Amino acid sequence: MKQRVITAVVALIFFIPVIFLGGITLDIVAMVLGAIAMTELLVMRKKLLISFEAIIGMLAVMIEIAPNKWFNGLPDQLNKAYVVYFLIILLLLHTVWSRNRFSFDDAGMLTLGIFYIGMGFNYFTAARGVNVQMLLYLMFIVWATDSGAYMVGRKLGKHKVTPISPNKTWEGCIGGSIIGVVIATAFAIGFQVGYHNWLSMLVITIILSVVGQFGDLVESALKRYYGVKDSGKILPGHGGILDRFDSMLLVFPIAHLFGLF
């Protein structure tokens, strides 16, 4: 517990100023975090981080995260999406010249990782592009729901949700969403985030709180499949980048889908 607290404090001391600075600073930090998250997938898949597929995967996810405006100078037929597509084609070609050392399954895993991680962090920076209140609102949904689920689950949890994540209970999930929704909705109304209609914001906050918990379960399923406890070790006491951002990687794209930014 002491290690978790120390890591959390150090991370917040670094991360909070970056959030408030925004701009290119946050873009670069998000790209680095995305690349680290991709390395965690590669390690779980038992791929060398200096291999061709690893380099292509990390490059593609960083391009996916990079702001669209960085690619405005490219011809219309050579936009950001096409660059990422071209790199995925290279992964498919690599299945041929690697003589099955790198398989189609490997290429599929990396492609899914590129969009899962890349789009999540891309919309993370896009939310900050609106204003810092929007970013904090979405982060409060995740943080408050996660903390609430942990506290309520420890006190009242009895009914397990799924074997994929044996520590999660229905009581914790419901309690976490209630706490997360109350805190995030109050923040949204107080700082005029999103829609002016408070009822719409309440409904969206409920949905995003539930989505965040599914994001956590997706990460649990991924780790269970690869037989690991944590996605990485970069954050002592907390695991890896995927462990810390799993909920956000789903919440931010869905928030964009609802037109919040």
Side-chain angles (χ1 to χ4, degrees):
M1 180 59 71
K2 181 180 179 181
Q3 183 65 71
R4 286 177 63 89
V5 172
I6 293 173
T7 301
V9 170
V10 172
L12 287 173
I13 289 173
F14 166 77
F15 203 59
I16 288 177
V18 170
I19 288 174
F20 278 92
L21 278 172
I24 191 171
T25 302
L26 182 61
D27 293 333
I28 292 173
V29 169
M31 291 167 68
V32 172
L33 291 175
I36 295 171
M38 179 57 78
T39 66
E40 292 173 356
L41 279 182
L42 288 160
V43 170
M44 283 191 276
R45 190 75 178 183
K46 294 182 172 56
K47 295 296 180 183
L48 291 174
L49 298 184
I50 56 172
S51 62
F52 175 82
E53 59 266 27
I55 294 170
I56 293 297
M58 286 185 281
L59 180 60
V61 82
M62 292 176 75
I63 291 173
E64 183 67 27
I65 296 168
N68 294 333
K69 63 185 179 183
W70 289 12
F71 299 85
N72 287 344
L74 293 177
D76 291 339
Q77 67 271 26
L78 190 63
N79 55 30
K80 171 180 163 179
Y82 189 86
V83 173
V84 174
Y85 174 73
F86 175 75
L87 292 174
I88 291 171
I89 292 299
L90 288 182
L91 289 176
L92 291 175
L93 292 175
H94 188 44
T95 64
V96 177
W97 66 62
S98 68
R99 299 180 181 180
N100 288 327
R101 181 189 61 79
F102 180 77
S103 68
F104 189 84
D105 285 347
D106 294 324
M109 181 276 295
L110 277 178
T111 301
L112 182 58
I114 289 166
F115 289 107
Y116 166 55
I117 297 168
M119 292 185 70
F121 278 110
N122 178 266
Y123 288 123
F124 177 87
T125 59
R128 176 60 183 88
V130 176
N131 52 49
V132 71
Q133 294 95 317
M134 176 62 72
L135 180 58
L136 289 175
Y137 158 69
L138 295 171
M139 294 179 76
F140 280 150
I141 293 176
V142 173
W143 288 343
T145 299
D146 187 52
S147 299
Y150 176 77
M151 291 186 294
V152 174
R154 287 196 64 183
K155 293 289 185 181
L156 305 175
K158 293 181 180 179
H159 300 89
K160 304 296 183 183
V161 175
T162 170
I164 288 294
S165 185
N167 293 326
K168 283 195 175 296
T169 63
W170 284 108
E171 292 84 357
C173 290
I174 294 169
S177 282
I178 291 172
I179 293 172
V181 167
V182 168
I183 292 175
T185 303
F187 179 88
I189 294 171
F191 288 90
Q192 298 182 339
V193 177
Y195 303 134
H196 295 296
N197 185 332
W198 70 267
L199 183 59
S200 297
M201 287 305 297
L202 175 63
V203 172
I204 288 175
T205 306
I206 292 172
I207 294 172
L208 293 178
S209 177
V210 174
V211 168
Q213 298 202 54
F214 273 110
D216 189 36
L217 290 172
V218 167
E219 175 67 7
S220 295
L222 176 66
K223 291 186 292 186
R224 177 64 64 98
Y225 178 78
Y226 285 113
V228 297
K229 182 178 182 294
D230 297 314
S231 65
K233 299 178 180 178
I234 193 171
L235 300 170
H238 291 264
I241 298 301
L242 285 174
D243 290 314
R244 289 302 91 205
F245 286 87
D246 51 6
S247 296
M248 295 185 194
L249 291 179
L250 292 192
V251 165
F252 281 89
I254 299 301
H256 174 76
L257 183 65
F258 279 116
L260 289 180
F261 56 90

